[in-house]
Amino acid sequence: MTILQRAATFAVMTFSLAGLVMSTPGKATEIDRGAMGTAIMGSTALIDSTTQALFRVTPPAPAAIPVLPAAPAQADPVQPVDAPKPQPATFDSLDAAVAAQDTSSDDDARCLAGAVYFESKGEPLSGQLAVAQVIINRAKSGRFPTSVCSVVTQRGQFSFVHAGIIPSIDSSRAAYRTALAVAKVALRAAWDSPAPDALFFHARSVSASARMTKVAAIGNHIFYR
């Protein structure tokens, strides 16, 4: 028998008992009113509990909260390491530095080689290097044009330049190959010039201005700043 059937049966019995009491007043005194009240209250409690059982709504189970995996620890960013700057090759002598230069050239090397060739071919290597250094110093000084070629071709500075043009040179000549190698040594700072601060030079036969400071005398040239 189901719970509903039991509750219905019990209710019928209770109402029948109540009708019997009401229809027979003489017997009412013989019935324990406390027992009848207890029976009625018991039936009411049974009905209430049955109703609650029928209509009780079971709350849904709480949804499981997904547990996300912990984010991986961020590694410290790798700092780029500056590549070491190339250092000039070291040589035992200026002769070795000149001999180590290749035959490639760019505009600066060709302009500088032309000046070295026309101004100091036949001079010792140290004198040729000093001439090349004068031109490089001028380009860096702020008092002259700012490139090697513009310093060499500046009007009124070198007598071999005509209308701003350096005369062509036979590149197969040994003197020119030496001048080109000396120019590259100077541009690459592969050997220290014996006249490092000089901005001017002239032949020994030329009188210098008293306002210039002598730096060195090499071969047939005197260097000033």
Side-chain angles (χ1 to χ4, degrees), residues 1 26 42 47 78 80 85 90 108 110 140 147 169:
M1 182 180 293
I47 294 171
V78 178
K85 296 180 179 180
T90 57
D108 284 348
R110 287 189 291 271
K140 294 178 179 179
S147 70
I169 308 170

Side-chain angles (χ1 to χ4, degrees), residues 37-144:
T38 301
I40 294 173
M41 291 179 63
S43 63
T44 303
L46 177 60
I47 294 171
D48 289 343
S49 61
T50 303
T51 304
Q52 290 176 4
L54 288 174
F55 295 97
R56 182 181 296 116
V57 178
T58 303
I65 300 175
V67 179
L68 299 178
Q74 294 291 332
D76 293 336
V78 178
Q79 298 297 329
V81 179
D82 293 335
K85 296 180 179 180
Q87 299 297 322
T90 57
F91 301 97
D92 295 331
S93 66
L94 176 56
D95 293 65
V98 170
Q101 304 307 310
D102 54 43
T103 58
S104 63
S105 63
D106 55 17
D107 289 344
D108 284 348
R110 287 189 291 271
C111 289
L112 191 56
V116 171
Y117 177 82
F118 284 112
E119 291 291 333
S120 60
K121 63 178 181 291
E123 292 290 311
L125 291 178
S126 58
Q128 295 185 49
L129 180 61
V131 168
Q133 191 65 52
V134 164
I135 295 169
I136 292 173
N137 289 346
R138 287 188 178 188
K140 294 178 179 179
S141 68
R143 298 167 55 185
F144 295 87

